[in-house]
């Protein structure tokens, strides 16, 4: 088949869908949904057999979905609706979530269901969840939906009817619930009373975007990334230490590491971007102790944050790294090289270098 991918950005999921669909023998092209290009013009130019939207922030116009079958990838289980699905999943601490491929119609996220694949939700930030478990489930769901469409015999299932009022708690699949946009009022951190687990959950749900709006050293910042710290303590809200560009801030019962900050955009000013927290704060940051990461042999149950980690499993050594926004400065490269040389000196047979990830079996319907 000739498949057109329509996306707001050629992000990791769109790239992966493009590659895997081509590997399955399909002719695949990509069209970005840009504000100055009418989507109808782009779609009609390609004349696809099927339109698939792996990551689309805007609605597909009626003229398009009436003329072509358009499949939307929604990062939520059957019945879930709304723009903040993964934010709510992390906020509600669900253990299982899912991805649904549905057909575009007049109501957002309410079209007939072509495929749904479940996935686990480990205790990670939204971006890690999206790139790993959600991405795996999305690809399985896309391939299943495309196979069903190509067969010409599959009839998509209608969405469940909405409940009179949204239920609370982890999202049960098969129950329609429309969730509100997860705004900054819900994300707000109350440093005096919020425990570490609560703060980490709020930070993880905002992760790469939009961040958690907060006040720090007299300015408003969006906080990005959150990792628990068991060893350091202080007055709630107090800055305690730095480590590799991140700052450690006290909670009501412990502390958290925050790797990145983004200044709030001034009215009429340019868009701001994320920076390592220490670099963003600059001269306003008080003198703090640079707290080193614990050695690999330290107690594994002690929770803390480090952008470079090493562990061993029998004859295999694992050297993992995770730098803010994936960027590597000269300092990052030098520290990673030192860690590599140290790991290479260990009595192991194999050294695995990369970013640590999670994977678990998924279930599809």
């Amino acid at each position: 088949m000739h498949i057109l991918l329509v996306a707001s950005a050629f992000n990791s999921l769109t790239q992966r869908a493009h590659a895997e669909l081509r590997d399955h023998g399909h002719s695949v092209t990509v069209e970005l949904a840009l504000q100055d290009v009418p989507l109808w013009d782009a779609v009609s130019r390609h004349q696809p057999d099927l339109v698939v939207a792996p990551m689309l922030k805007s609605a597909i116009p009626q003229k398009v979905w009436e003329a072509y079958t358009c499949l939307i990838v929604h990062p939520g289980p059957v019945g879930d609706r709304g723009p903040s699905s993964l934010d709510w999943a992390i906020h509600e601490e669900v253990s299982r979530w899912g991805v649904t491929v549905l057909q575009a119609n007049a109501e957002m996220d309410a079209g007939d269901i072509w495929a749904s694949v479940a996935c686990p939700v480990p205790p990670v930030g939204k971006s890690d969840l999206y790139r790993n478990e959600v991405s795996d489930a999305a690809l399985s769901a896309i391939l299943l939906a495309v196979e069903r469409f190509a067969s010409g015999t599959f009839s998509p299932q209608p969405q469940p009817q909405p409940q009179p009022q949204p239920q609370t708690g982890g999202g049960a699949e098969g129950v329609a619930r429309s969730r509100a946009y997860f705004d900054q009022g819900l994300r707000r951190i109350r440093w005096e009373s919020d425990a570490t687990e609560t703060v980490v959950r709020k930070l993880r749900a905002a992760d790469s975007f939009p961040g958690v709006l907060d006040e720090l050293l007299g300015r408003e910042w969006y906080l990005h990334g959150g990792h628990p710290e068991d060893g350091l303590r202080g007055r709630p809200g107090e800055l305690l230490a730095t480590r590799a560009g991140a700052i450690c801030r006290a909670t009501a019962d412990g502390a958290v590491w925050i790797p990145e900050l983004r200044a709030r955009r001034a009215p009429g000013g340019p868009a701001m971007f994320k920076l390592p927290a220490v670099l963003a704060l600059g001269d306003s940051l008080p003198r703090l102790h640079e707290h080193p990461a614990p050695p690999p042999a330290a107690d594994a149950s002690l929770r803390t944050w480090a952008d470079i980690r090493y562990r061993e499993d029998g004859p295999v050594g694992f050297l993992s790294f995770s730098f803010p926004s994936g960027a590597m400065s000269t300092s990052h490269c030098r520290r990673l090289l030192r860690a590599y040389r140290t790991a290479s000196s260990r009595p192991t047979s194999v050294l695995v270098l990369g970013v640590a990830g999670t994977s678990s079996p998924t279930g599809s319907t």
Side-chain angles (χ1 to χ4, degrees):
M1 288 194 304
H2 178 44
I3 300 174
L4 173 63
L5 299 182
V6 176
S8 296
F10 197 47
N11 70 340
S12 59
L13 179 57
T14 305
Q15 293 174 41
R16 188 172 172 187
H18 180 264
E20 297 226 13
L21 287 170
R22 285 170 60 93
D23 286 347
H24 279 73
H26 300 289
S27 168
V28 186
T29 54
V30 179
E31 192 72 42
L32 297 183
L34 304 176
Q35 291 184 347
D36 55 346
V37 179
L39 191 58
W40 168 256
D41 293 347
V43 175
S44 59
R45 185 174 69 252
H46 290 282
Q47 292 290 306
D49 299 310
L50 177 67
V51 176
V52 177
M55 192 283 289
L56 191 61
K57 296 181 179 180
S58 57
I60 292 181
Q62 180 175 348
K63 187 177 181 180
V64 175
W65 56 257
E66 283 184 339
Y68 300 91
T69 299
C70 300
L71 302 185
I72 309 297
V73 178
H74 176 70
V78 171
D80 178 82
R81 302 179 189 179
S84 305
S85 291
L86 296 184
D87 308 63
W88 281 107
I90 295 172
H91 175 75
E92 294 179 346
E93 298 183 282
V94 302
S95 59
R96 300 283 293 175
W97 201 237
V99 175
T100 305
V101 176
L102 46 89
Q103 188 164 338
N105 65 9
E107 185 178 353
M108 189 72 76
D109 300 333
D112 291 346
I113 301 164
W114 282 83
S116 178
V117 175
C119 65
V121 181
V124 297
K126 183 170 61 175
S127 58
D128 282 339
L129 178 63
Y130 181 83
R131 287 193 300 264
N132 293 285
E133 287 77 14
V134 169
S135 180
D136 289 345
L139 258 296
S140 296
I142 289 171
L143 294 175
L144 180 57
V146 169
E147 179 184 345
R148 287 171 170 174
F149 178 81
S151 72
T153 61
F154 180 79
S155 297
Q157 302 300 305
Q159 287 269 12
Q161 292 299 311
Q163 294 187 150
Q165 293 182 354
Q167 66 182 31
T168 57
E173 185 166 340
V175 178
R177 67 187 296 201
S178 182
R179 302 169 185 268
Y181 174 70
F182 205 97
D183 61 21
Q184 289 295 334
L186 295 167
R187 302 184 194 276
R188 180 186 173 192
I189 296 174
R190 294 166 175 82
W191 294 99
E192 294 295 329
S193 57
D194 282 351
T196 297
E197 296 301 326
T198 301
V199 174
V200 168
R201 189 171 68 250
K202 291 179 178 180
L203 290 169
R204 283 175 173 169
D207 199 14
S208 59
F209 183 84
V212 175
L213 184 61
D214 193 32
E215 185 175 335
L216 181 61
L217 301 179
R219 292 184 62 187
E220 286 189 308
W221 300 90
Y222 288 96
L223 316 182
H224 292 273
H227 308 271
E229 166 61 40
D230 285 343
L232 298 174
R233 295 289 186 275
R235 177 172 48 82
E238 179 185 9
L239 294 179
L240 305 176
T242 61
R243 175 184 294 162
I247 55 173
C248 186
R249 194 171 186 185
T251 65
D253 65 347
V256 295
W257 287 98
I258 303 169
E260 294 181 286
L261 300 177
R262 176 169 57 91
R264 187 174 190 178
R265 185 176 187 173
M272 308 304 290
F273 49 88
K274 293 181 289 184
L275 287 170
V278 171
L279 179 62
L281 292 171
D283 294 339
S284 65
L285 183 67
R287 187 183 298 274
L288 297 172
H289 173 59
E290 177 73 9
H291 195 68
D299 183 359
S301 65
L302 183 66
R303 300 179 306 170
T304 189
W305 170 85
D307 57 357
I308 300 175
R309 290 179 177 271
Y310 177 77
R311 65 180 178 88
E312 293 179 1
D313 185 358
V316 181
F318 295 86
L319 179 60
S320 61
F321 60 97
S322 180
F323 300 135
S325 300
M328 295 177 66
S329 66
T330 303
S331 173
H332 288 120
C333 293
R334 287 172 175 165
R335 289 194 296 112
L336 183 58
L337 179 58
R338 286 197 297 270
Y340 169 77
R341 287 171 173 162
T342 300
S344 298
S345 68
R346 296 287 301 161
T348 53
S349 302
V350 178
L351 177 61
V352 179
L353 177 66
V355 179
T358 58
S359 61
S360 298
T362 59
S364 60
T365 58

